[in-house]
Amino acid sequence: MKKINKYCFSIYLFCILVSGQLFSERLILNPKQILDITSGELYQAQILIEDKIIIKIDKDLSKQYRNTKLLDLKELTLLPGLMDSHVHLIGNTKLKGYESIGESSYLSTIYGVDNAKKTLLAGFTTVRNVGAGNYSDVALKQSIDRNLIPGPTMLVSGPALGITGGHCDSNFLPHDYEYKSQGVADGPWEVRKMVRKNRKYGANLIKFCATGGVMSKNTNVNNRQYTFEEMQAIVDEAHSHGMKVAAHAHGLEGIKTAIKAGVNSIEHASYIDDETIELAKKKGTYLSMDIYVSDFILGEGKDQGILEESLQKERIVGKIQRQNFKKSVQAKANISFGTDAGIFPHGKNAMQFKYMVEWGMTPLQAIQSSTINAADLFGLINTGNISEGFEADIIGTKGNPLEDITVLEDVTFVMKDGIIYKQ
Ligand code: ARG
């Protein structure tokens, strides 16, 4: 850890020198307490931030740095910004089923601007956007990185790869329209080419569909999509470019095949069994299980236009997924917090914490899944913790999340990259 801190610190000094900002603005946060998400301890200290970085954490920093601005957050418990490994920021979340195909990608992207803001203000400072057409996720990410609009740091996949007619292809229209989704690729060389194309246009991770899904038409969650050979080609190609791979997989065979092919995370993982949980642990594969969304789909889905076919699938999948989530927690699997926000309104991501605790996690484990675990899955070395040398992504709540995890549904302070977005 020290090595990383020193490394980050020298890069930081280098950046200050290069940009000529020798005397950039400093800020000291003075909270009630800080949650050490590694040990679960709550401790009292102040945090010195300069530019984007946490420079120092210590008691009485305000005495050592007398001319530095002090921000009193005496009612708040601070913890690192939260992360969600499975969101869909692009699009109007209210459009479901057939209505969803009537919106242009320009309009979807503008909805994305609003969704990104809501996500950030809810305390989610980093997200993985897993699947978007026309590389609109890349554009959204760029506008956030350039500080044109407020939003979380985004890792983006571009169009998700999928087989012809699979979950990542759209089967809503009949043959007459000759419609196919942009990430459709069949066979090892086609999938390699699609990975290369996504990288070319700005994706920094790859998403593919390894089984059928709930929300797609005419797919079966239990059926594997892509052969082992194809999945291996996707993973090999992506990894050779330093990109991580997320596989959508509900059914057991697809989950197993994707893990064997070397994916970094299984999204949903609904039908995972004990043996495959062990396999995932052995291979270091993360499970990103969206165990809240089922209640939303079954509660509001019908009114929102979700197909009856999808509701029927959800009635079965939702329960099984929660049971297998519990098994995975008990078996100490690697779990990253992923919600599928976009099916439900953005900014409500933290609703899932309560479910994770109800289904076997301690509050601390649930927080870790959304901070250190997610950072590890995303490949981020200096994000996801309140630690010297780390990026200043910090949130604050009035209550203690270790006593009541639902306080994370109402975050009152949000800082990303040293900038305060909510106070
Ligand atoms: N995008 C996923 C799919 O369509 C959503 C699954 C939601 N259901 C659940 N129980 N996690 O398959």
Side-chain angles (χ1 to χ4, degrees):
M1 190 68 87
K2 272 200 175 139
K3 252 191 188 160
I4 293 178
N5 291 352
K6 267 191 194 155
Y7 173 70
C8 297
F9 193 66
S10 26
I11 296 236
Y12 162 73
L13 280 181
F14 172 73
C15 294
I16 293 180
L17 289 174
V18 168
S19 64
Q21 289 181 298
L22 267 171
F23 302 101
S24 53
E25 208 191 332
R26 286 173 166 171
L27 176 67
I28 294 171
L29 304 182
N30 187 28
K32 178 179 170 199
Q33 54 192 1
I34 302 171
L35 173 62
D36 177 336
I37 50 146
T38 320
S39 66
E41 270 169 40
L42 289 158
Y43 65 101
Q44 279 166 352
Q46 297 179 332
I47 305 173
L48 174 66
I49 290 153
E50 188 163 340
D51 278 345
K52 300 169 168 208
I53 308 291
I54 297 169
I55 300 293
K56 219 169 178 186
I57 305 169
D58 210 343
K59 286 198 170 162
D60 301 328
L61 283 174
S62 46
K63 286 186 189 147
Q64 293 174 45
Y65 297 85
R66 287 195 183 275
N67 296 325
T68 302
K69 200 172 149 194
L70 184 71
L71 185 62
D72 258 321
L73 302 169
K74 282 199 182 117
E75 291 188 337
L76 301 188
T77 299
L78 299 187
L79 62 155
L82 302 170
M83 304 189 182
D84 192 329
S85 44
H86 193 125
V87 303
H88 298 279
L89 288 181
I90 304 298
N92 175 355
T93 53
K94 289 200 178 116
L95 301 183
K96 299 277 166 27
Y98 275 92
E99 274 190 271
S100 66
I101 57 177
E103 190 176 85
S104 73
S105 88
Y106 304 109
L107 188 54
S108 294
T109 314
I110 292 172
Y111 272 100
V113 173
D114 190 43
N115 297 336
K117 183 175 169 189
K118 285 179 177 148
T119 304
L120 178 62
L121 296 185
F124 286 79
T125 51
T126 311
V127 299
R128 279 196 327 182
N129 202 78
V130 281
N134 293 309
Y135 301 96
S136 42
D137 51 352
V138 175
L140 189 64
K141 174 188 168 51
Q142 287 170 337
S143 61
I144 293 169
D145 290 346
R146 292 176 197 185
N147 282 329
L148 284 176
I149 60 161
T153 300
M154 290 178 75
L155 288 98
V156 295
S157 71
L161 276 70
I163 63 163
T164 297
H167 178 65
C168 284
D169 192 3
S170 174
N171 300 328
F172 283 102
L173 296 171
H175 174 254
D176 314 45
Y177 292 88
E178 290 185 14
Y179 181 80
K180 71 168 187 181
S181 294
Q182 292 169 2
V184 170
D186 298 292
W189 284 108
E190 264 191 36
V191 297
R192 280 187 188 271
K193 196 170 175 188
M194 193 59 78
V195 170
R196 292 170 188 170
K197 184 177 172 188
N198 280 355
R199 195 200 64 81
K200 174 179 175 182
Y201 292 116
N204 46 17
L205 86 121
I206 294 298
K207 153 95 181 277
F208 77 87
C209 285
T211 70
V214 171
M215 304 291 275
S216 53
K217 196 177 169 192
N218 191 23
T219 73
N220 185 327
V221 288
N222 283 302
N223 292 353
R224 175 176 53 74
Q225 300 180 347
Y226 278 133
T227 62
F228 175 65
E229 200 189 0
E230 288 170 309
M231 293 192 203
Q232 218 181 15
I234 296 173
V235 173
D236 179 62
E237 190 64 40
H239 284 178
S240 78
H241 299 290
M243 299 163 92
K244 306 257 183 178
V245 181
H248 156 108
H250 288 286
L252 185 59
E253 201 199 330
I255 296 174
K256 228 186 238 179
T257 313
I259 295 175
K260 284 184 185 157
V263 301
N264 302 93
S265 67
I266 297 288
E267 307 301 306
H268 314 299
S270 310
Y271 286 84
I272 196 162
D273 64 0
D274 294 340
E275 190 193 317
T276 314
I277 292 171
E278 289 310 314
L279 180 69
K281 278 168 61 183
K282 207 172 111 202
K283 298 269 280 177
T285 321
Y286 273 94
L287 307 178
S288 157
M289 300 173 79
D290 49 344
I291 60 168
Y292 157 62
V293 71
S294 188
D295 279 9
F296 182 86
I297 294 175
L298 297 178
E300 328 246 334
K302 195 165 186 239
D303 293 342
Q304 291 211 353
I306 295 182
L307 305 181
E308 179 50 36
E309 176 187 332
S310 295
L311 298 174
Q312 257 174 32
K313 290 192 245 187
E314 187 56 57
R315 282 179 204 114
I316 301 164
V317 171
K319 277 188 207 145
I320 292 172
Q321 188 188 31
R322 287 175 186 178
Q323 285 156 5
N324 288 331
F325 174 82
K326 195 168 193 175
K327 273 194 198 170
S328 306
V329 174
Q330 283 164 351
K332 298 194 165 46
N334 303 314
I335 294 176
S336 176
F337 182 94
T339 62
D340 223 338
I343 294 182
F344 62 89
H346 294 280
K348 298 282 177 200
N349 315 51
M351 295 280 292
Q352 184 168 285
F353 285 113
K354 187 171 66 194
Y355 289 73
M356 293 171 107
V357 170
E358 207 174 298
W359 290 89
M361 277 186 161
T362 64
L364 182 64
Q365 283 175 324
I367 294 169
Q368 287 169 337
S369 77
S370 180
T371 50
I372 30 180
N373 293 9
D376 183 40
L377 167 62
F378 298 2
L380 303 173
I381 49 159
N382 60 351
T383 314
N385 213 337
I386 297 185
S387 189
E388 288 175 9
F390 272 54
E391 273 167 27
D393 290 351
I394 298 170
I395 62 166
T397 61
K398 281 204 179 127
N400 174 357
L402 297 183
E403 278 165 12
D404 175 8
I405 194 74
T406 64
V407 300
L408 294 179
E409 293 169 23
D410 184 19
V411 161
T412 43
F413 175 80
V414 177
M415 169 182 271
K416 192 197 99 184
D417 287 336
I419 299 172
I420 296 167
Y421 290 91
K422 188 177 187 180
Q423 192 194 336

